[in-house]
Amino acid sequence: MIRHLALGSFAAGLCVSVSLAGCSSTTTNVGADAGPGSGTDGGPGSGTDGGSLTDGASGANPLGFTPSNVNLTGFDLSLVGDFVVDNNECSIDTESNLASCGDGGNVLAFQLQTQSDGTKVAVYVARSINIQSMQNLTVTGHNPIVLIALETIKITGSLFGNSRENLGSAGGHTQGLTDTKGAGPGGAGAPSAMSGGGGGSYCGIGGAGAVESGGTSPGGVAYGTVTNTPLVGGSSGSSPSGGGGGGSGGGAIQLIAGTSITVDASGVIHVGAGGGAFGGISGQEAAGGGSGGSILLESRVVSIAGTLAANGGGGGAGSSVNVPGGANATGNATAAAGGPGASAGGVGSAAAITKGSDGTFTAGNAGGGGGGGAGRIRINTKTGQATLSGTLSPAASTPCTTQGTVAP
């Protein structure tokens, strides 16, 4: 079912259902020749490149290229408008059509679509998307998210699809059980009774949990494709018996724009993982950190002066005292620290280091958990070369960040 955000019946400043506080929206009539490419220049919206902006319901593609993972079939694009995050905190849901407060009008179109592997993704469509300076758009819900702009996407603020501790978001895998393999395709192996939990893997391998006496606790196995098709989130670290939860994998975000995607110098897209819990007051082994998630950007032109981050979470410390767990991944190129102590947790992946480090063990303590491995970043443009002057973590020099061309 396709639904549009119908805010016009609400007074200005009120919210629909579960809301996106602080997001504003504007609309104008979107005619057959409106938007970039109208006339004869062959851009989106022209009669020679994918059809007009109003013919999404007929199945035509107004982007001028074929996006990965999703399609615009069935959307009535004549109703979409400009989605602007310009005041305080906003959130957007990946399970149902829950978006913003605003100043009225039909702004976003919504579908839950099924990918090639059978998993669901939440697809929102706008005419343009603009996350303004010092503003945050936070993704909630259990599915990955795809944000499509018929014209441009500009991020000067922050787009968050990251997980925290064992709370997953935007398709990041979460494991709430102990003594079991971590959740997701790269979930860390089930730990033994005398070892810390391993870190989750994605493109990069998670670190091993420290072994106290016999047995092993490896990180997970690598998975996914360099193209981020299908779009999937990161995997969780494992949780030993009696300890706290393994860190959740980072979320999955895909941005598609007909004209351009720009991440300004202050802009951030963050799909980092959660940190693993510490060993517990009775000396149980610590949990592993989750792996970073995935970012897929597709447009004719992409310019990144800001930050794209898909880092692993830190492993928890093995200790008989209440110490902090592993740190959650941050939206930069700084590695998430493992939990401190004599049996410290492993450090999460970041920058040019795609593997999470192993947990450590010191006699008299429990085993530390492994750090989470790196997620995946993919950028597709018309030429196959985005303008990259900002920070990418994992770094562009690693196999976990790649570029390609948009499909015809």
Side-chain angles (χ1 to χ4, degrees), residues 192-195 210-217:
S192 72
M194 300 296 285
S195 66
V211 178
E212 186 174 343
S213 176
T216 60
S217 183

Side-chain angles (χ1 to χ4, degrees), residues 335-402:
S343 292
V347 174
S349 67
I353 307 300
T354 62
K355 183 184 185 301
S357 65
D358 298 342
T360 64
F361 171 69
T362 300
N365 294 273
R376 294 184 181 274
I377 297 173
R378 175 74 171 192
I379 303 173
N380 292 331
T381 58
K382 184 176 181 179
T383 64
Q385 292 294 321
T387 300
L388 303 178
S389 60
T391 299
L392 278 66
S393 187
S397 60
T398 72
C400 298
T401 291
T402 61

Side-chain angles (χ1 to χ4, degrees), residues 3 26-27 31 47 67 79 127 135 139 143 189 214 223 275 294 314 318 358 401:
R3 292 171 288 175
T26 60
T27 59
L79 300 178
R127 186 175 59 186
Q135 311 307 317
V139 183
N143 298 314
Y223 66 100
S294 61
D358 298 342
T401 291

Side-chain angles (χ1 to χ4, degrees), residues 29-387:
N29 292 328
V30 185
D33 292 324
S38 61
T40 60
D41 64 358
S46 74
T48 61
D49 193 358
S52 71
L53 295 181
T54 60
D55 61 6
S58 68
N61 176 14
L63 296 171
F65 60 87
T66 302
S68 302
N69 300 317
V70 297
N71 63 73
L72 289 172
T73 302
F75 284 106
D76 184 355
L77 303 180
S78 67
L79 300 178
V80 301
D82 301 315
F83 181 59
V84 182
V85 179
D86 63 357
N87 184 24
N88 298 319
E89 296 288 328
C90 294
S91 62
I92 191 164
D93 191 78
T94 67
E95 297 178 40
S96 58
N97 189 22
L98 301 174
S100 80
C101 297
D103 53 5
N106 295 315
V107 178
L108 293 169
F110 173 82
Q111 285 184 4
L112 280 176
Q113 294 191 8
T114 302
Q115 299 189 93
S116 59
D117 65 345
T119 61
K120 300 289 187 181
V121 291
V123 183
Y124 283 92
V125 184
R127 186 175 59 186
S128 69
I129 298 172
N130 185 351
I131 303 176
Q132 296 189 346
S133 177
M134 301 181 68
Q135 311 307 317
N136 301 328
L137 178 60
T138 300
V139 183
T140 65
H142 295 98
N143 298 314
I145 193 167
V146 181
L147 298 174
I148 303 176
L150 302 178
E151 299 179 7
T152 62
I153 294 177
K154 184 174 183 179
I155 299 176
T156 311
S158 299
L159 176 56
F160 293 137
N162 57 302
S163 298
R164 294 162 297 281
E165 289 86 36
N166 62 346
L167 301 174
S169 183
H173 292 90
T174 298
Q175 177 59 274
L177 302 175
T178 59
D179 275 347
T180 56
K181 179 182 181 293
S192 72
M194 300 296 285
S195 66
S201 300
Y202 196 169
C203 175
I205 301 298
V211 178
E212 186 174 343
S213 176
T216 60
S217 183
V221 297
Y223 66 100
T225 66
V226 295
T227 58
N228 278 347
T229 54
L231 184 70
V232 293
S235 296
S236 74
S238 59
S239 306
S241 175
S248 293
I253 292 176
Q254 181 176 356
L255 303 183
I256 302 166
T259 303
S260 64
I261 296 173
T262 302
V263 180
D264 286 337
S266 59
V268 176
I269 303 176
H270 176 22
V271 292
F278 81 104
I281 58 174
S282 57
Q284 289 93 353
E285 320 300 320
S291 68
S294 61
I295 298 170
L296 173 56
L297 308 182
E298 296 190 300
S299 187
R300 298 180 184 189
V301 176
V302 175
S303 177
I304 308 298
T307 301
L308 309 181
N311 300 322
S319 176
S320 59
V321 297
N322 190 343
V323 297
N328 297 319
T330 52
N332 49 45
T334 301
S343 292
V347 174
S349 67
I353 307 300
T354 62
K355 183 184 185 301
S357 65
D358 298 342
T360 64
F361 171 69
T362 300
N365 294 273
R376 294 184 181 274
I377 297 173
R378 175 74 171 192
I379 303 173
N380 292 331
T381 58
K382 184 176 181 179
T383 64
Q385 292 294 321
T387 300

